[in-house]
Amino acid sequence: MSDSIALSADVPSRFRRRGRRAPALVVIPSILTAAIVAIPLLYIFRRGFERGLDAYLALVLSAATAELLVDTMLLVGGVVTVSLAIAIPMAWLVARTDVPMRRFLAVAGALPLVFPSYIAAFTLVAVAGPRGYLQGWVQRFGVERIPEVAYGYSGAVLALAPFIYPYVYLLVIATLRRLDPALEESAQSLGMGRWRTFFHVVLPQLRPAVYSGSLLVALYTLSDFGAVSIVRYNTFTMSIYNAYRALFDRTEAAALSSVLVAVTVALILVEVLLLRRVKATTVRPTRPPQRIPLGRWRYPALSFLAIVFTVSLVIPLGTIAYWLIRGVTSGRAVDVLSQPVIGSLSSSVVAALIAVFLAIFPAIWTVRYPSAFARTVERLIHGGYALPGIVVALALVFFVSRNLYPLYQTFALLVLAYVVRFLPEAVAATRSALLAIAPVFEEVAQSLGRKPAAVMVEVTAPMLRHGLLAGGGLVFLTSMKELPATLILRPMGFETLATRIWTAASEAYYSEAAVYALLLIAFSAVPVYLLVIRPALAVRENET
């Protein structure tokens, strides 16, 4: 999963073509793609400095911006902390103990990924808000008001952490299953207890997975708009959106966006520095570890897992089902085969197809003809994934309103934003697939007189079909759930499932929001399992 934002390892020598330059057919499309992806970042800073350096510094160094930065980083810290507190114990219980139903729990622990943040937020408000049915239930016992947890900071943490902790969980559980148990057994033979062995031997080996997973959680939190808007917690994304929509102050929105970009880059650099201090290991386990018997701790462990699954799966699904049934029984009709479904499918499919096509060129360049220049171009392409959706959307608005106005508020511009934002997912999947294919077939085709274009179409592309399908599926899923870019760039009257859920939940039309939320979850559940959960859990689990 971290391949989406970080480059893969060096290309093995057996896949390199020494002494040969990459053909123009590969180089030119890759450079053009990187240039398109770089436009949002460059234009954000250009527009931010439009009023001059003094005005820019006055805004970004103001007390209001400092307070906004503190509030945003407090949310990032809280969500990362709670996610680690959930993910690490859960992964350890599933991978190393005799907790019952381990196979089921391994998959269930990653299922919250199917819930976009705005669905989690609207179910939280519906359950624990001032007018939620939890308030109605406790009033029967004389409790006039429950604690205010659905809004503000607590609401933002509860709407994010229980649903994005799988970014850490999937990496940690995969790492635990690859660790050699001999190190732990040696530590215990020297007198270390199980807890000391975990903290001094196991946990240090989990640092790469913890750092990478924490970065993914932090970047998700930093770029989130749907959850914080529903629970009314002010972050950079909220302020940027308000500056653009309410005040229509594009320069202020651009300046705040540049600060958000700087914070994003800083978080990535922190993760890079932390990983550099970790010594890589390639030791493979020679045998499976012994399952640790929980004994009297079995029921507390199951209680912990039950609480997590109740919050992250049972309550959201139950809330959606409740409001759906309530809407049907009250006679409120919702045309599900309408614009939101068509809009989501059409824009996501087109974005996935374009991203898959564009991903082929940089993947071939970096794998078959690796060079410093190729790696630089690939890093620029990956940079789009680190930009929050609202920043990409505003940058494209700024650019096309000045230079390509006919594209403003068009379907093409919306698709372009999806491609810029999620193209690295397709590149990472295509690159990984290409690394598994020896170049001998392409070399034979070229020796028989085939031109590079024919080789790509007739030989390379068919062999890459599984990687291309995986990359396209990931782009399709993330595009379908994207909210802030869609809200800003969609054409007049254009709706998607994401925008309809956000609008209905913001106006407290929960029955309508439930219908579209259920559709979005249904569209996401099977592909998320096939493309994200199953590969991440595919490390062979050896039972003892």
Side-chain angles (χ1 to χ4, degrees):
M1 291 176 64
S2 59
D3 287 345
S4 301
I5 58 171
L7 298 179
S8 303
D10 292 337
V11 179
S13 59
R14 65 182 181 276
F15 296 133
R16 298 176 182 174
R17 295 182 176 178
R18 298 182 181 278
R20 297 186 60 183
R21 292 183 177 180
L25 178 66
V26 171
V27 174
I28 294 176
S30 299
I31 294 176
L32 291 176
T33 301
I36 292 173
V37 172
I39 286 176
L41 179 61
L42 297 176
Y43 210 79
I44 278 292
F45 283 93
R46 178 184 180 277
R47 189 59 185 265
F49 283 93
E50 193 171 51
R51 294 177 182 172
L53 179 60
D54 292 339
Y56 176 82
L57 292 177
L59 175 62
V60 300
L61 298 178
S62 65
T65 303
E67 182 180 358
L68 190 62
L69 178 62
V70 171
D71 290 343
T72 301
M73 296 312 297
L74 282 175
L75 179 61
V76 170
V79 173
V80 169
T81 301
V82 175
S83 297
L84 293 176
I86 295 173
I88 295 176
M90 179 182 294
W92 183 77
L93 287 171
V94 172
R96 288 300 183 88
T97 73
D98 64 347
V99 65
M101 302 182 296
R102 289 187 300 275
R103 295 183 184 276
F104 167 78
L105 293 174
V107 175
L111 285 179
L113 281 177
V114 304
F115 292 96
S117 64
Y118 41 88
I119 292 180
F122 107 73
T123 57
L124 174 65
V125 171
V127 172
R131 298 181 181 179
Y133 46 81
L134 181 59
Q135 176 66 57
W137 183 74
V138 298
Q139 282 181 342
R140 302 174 182 177
F141 302 95
V143 180
E144 296 184 359
R145 190 175 183 85
I146 61 175
E148 190 72 36
V149 297
Y151 290 101
Y153 180 80
S154 59
V157 173
L158 289 173
L160 289 169
F163 302 91
I164 61 177
Y165 77 83
Y167 286 118
V168 180
Y169 165 78
L170 289 171
L171 296 177
V172 171
I173 193 173
T175 303
L176 280 169
R177 289 174 175 173
R178 289 196 299 264
L179 295 182
D180 190 348
L183 295 176
E184 302 164 54
E185 293 167 0
S186 298
Q188 291 181 357
S189 68
L190 294 174
M192 279 192 177
R194 285 175 178 169
W195 285 111
R196 289 190 62 195
T197 299
F198 176 79
F199 284 105
H200 293 282
V201 178
V202 177
L203 198 56
Q205 297 180 82
L206 298 179
R207 283 185 293 175
V210 170
Y211 293 157
S212 297
S214 298
L215 176 64
L216 291 173
V217 170
L219 292 180
Y220 189 105
T221 305
L222 203 63
S223 64
D224 177 73
F225 171 77
V228 296
S229 64
I230 292 176
V231 302
R232 302 170 191 171
Y233 182 78
N234 196 26
T235 62
F236 269 106
T237 53
M238 279 283 290
S239 295
I240 293 168
Y241 184 81
N242 290 335
Y244 175 76
R245 284 294 190 192
L247 304 176
F248 210 71
D249 189 345
R250 293 180 173 179
T251 302
E252 180 179 344
L256 291 175
S257 297
S258 69
V259 179
L260 183 56
V261 169
V263 174
T264 301
V265 172
L267 288 175
I268 295 174
L269 291 177
V270 168
E271 191 243 6
V272 170
L273 293 175
L274 289 174
L275 287 177
R276 284 182 178 177
R277 301 174 60 183
V278 177
K279 185 177 295 186
T281 177
T282 57
V283 176
R284 293 180 176 272
T286 56
R287 52 188 171 76
Q290 293 289 329
R291 291 281 175 184
I292 299 174
L294 291 175
R296 62 180 181 178
W297 292 100
R298 170 172 293 193
Y299 293 106
L302 287 175
S303 299
F304 164 73
L305 295 174
I307 292 172
V308 173
F309 294 144
T310 299
V311 173
S312 60
L313 290 174
V314 177
I315 290 179
L317 287 175
T319 303
I320 292 171
Y322 169 79
W323 283 107
L324 181 62
I325 295 171
R326 183 172 175 176
V328 171
T329 55
S330 64
R332 183 179 179 83
V334 178
D335 183 11
V336 295
L337 297 177
S338 60
Q339 176 59 39
V341 176
I342 297 172
S344 289
L345 292 177
S346 60
S347 58
S348 301
V349 167
V350 173
L353 292 175
I354 294 174
V356 164
F357 174 74
L358 294 178
I360 295 175
F361 304 102
I364 292 177
W365 191 9
T366 55
V367 174
R368 296 296 190 239
Y369 310 91
S371 65
F373 187 37
R375 288 193 297 271
T376 301
V377 171
E378 190 185 26
R379 287 189 178 98
L380 286 175
I381 293 174
H382 278 73
Y385 196 78
L387 296 177
I390 196 168
V391 173
V392 172
L394 288 178
L396 291 176
V397 167
F398 300 156
F399 180 76
V400 301
S401 63
R402 292 279 185 93
N403 304 283
L404 298 168
Y405 189 76
L407 281 178
Y408 183 66
Q409 283 194 323
T410 62
F411 180 81
L413 187 61
L414 177 61
V415 170
L416 176 61
Y418 291 163
V419 172
V420 170
R421 182 90 166 84
F422 305 119
L423 175 61
E425 297 174 341
V427 172
T430 306
R431 192 177 192 273
S432 298
L434 193 59
L435 281 168
I437 300 172
V440 61
F441 301 104
E442 299 155 274
E443 293 171 351
V444 169
Q446 289 182 350
S447 69
L448 295 175
R450 290 290 187 182
K451 295 182 179 180
V455 173
M456 286 181 59
V457 174
E458 298 174 8
V459 180
T460 307
M463 291 191 298
L464 286 176
R465 61 184 181 275
H466 295 297
L468 296 176
L469 285 173
L474 288 174
V475 174
F476 171 81
L477 287 169
T478 47
S479 298
M480 182 170 287
K481 295 190 290 185
E482 174 63 29
L483 178 60
T486 310
L487 287 173
I488 292 174
L489 297 175
R490 59 179 171 162
M492 294 295 294
F494 186 86
E495 292 279 0
T496 67
L497 291 171
T499 60
R500 184 60 67 87
I501 293 168
W502 182 77
T503 302
S506 300
E507 298 174 356
Y509 294 146
Y510 295 135
S511 297
E512 181 179 345
V515 175
Y516 294 111
L518 192 62
L519 283 172
L520 186 55
I521 292 170
F523 280 128
S524 303
V526 174
V528 163
Y529 173 74
L530 293 176
L531 297 173
V532 180
I533 298 175
R534 192 172 69 173
L537 299 177
V539 180
R540 190 178 72 176
E541 181 179 7
N542 297 296
E543 300 291 344
T544 58

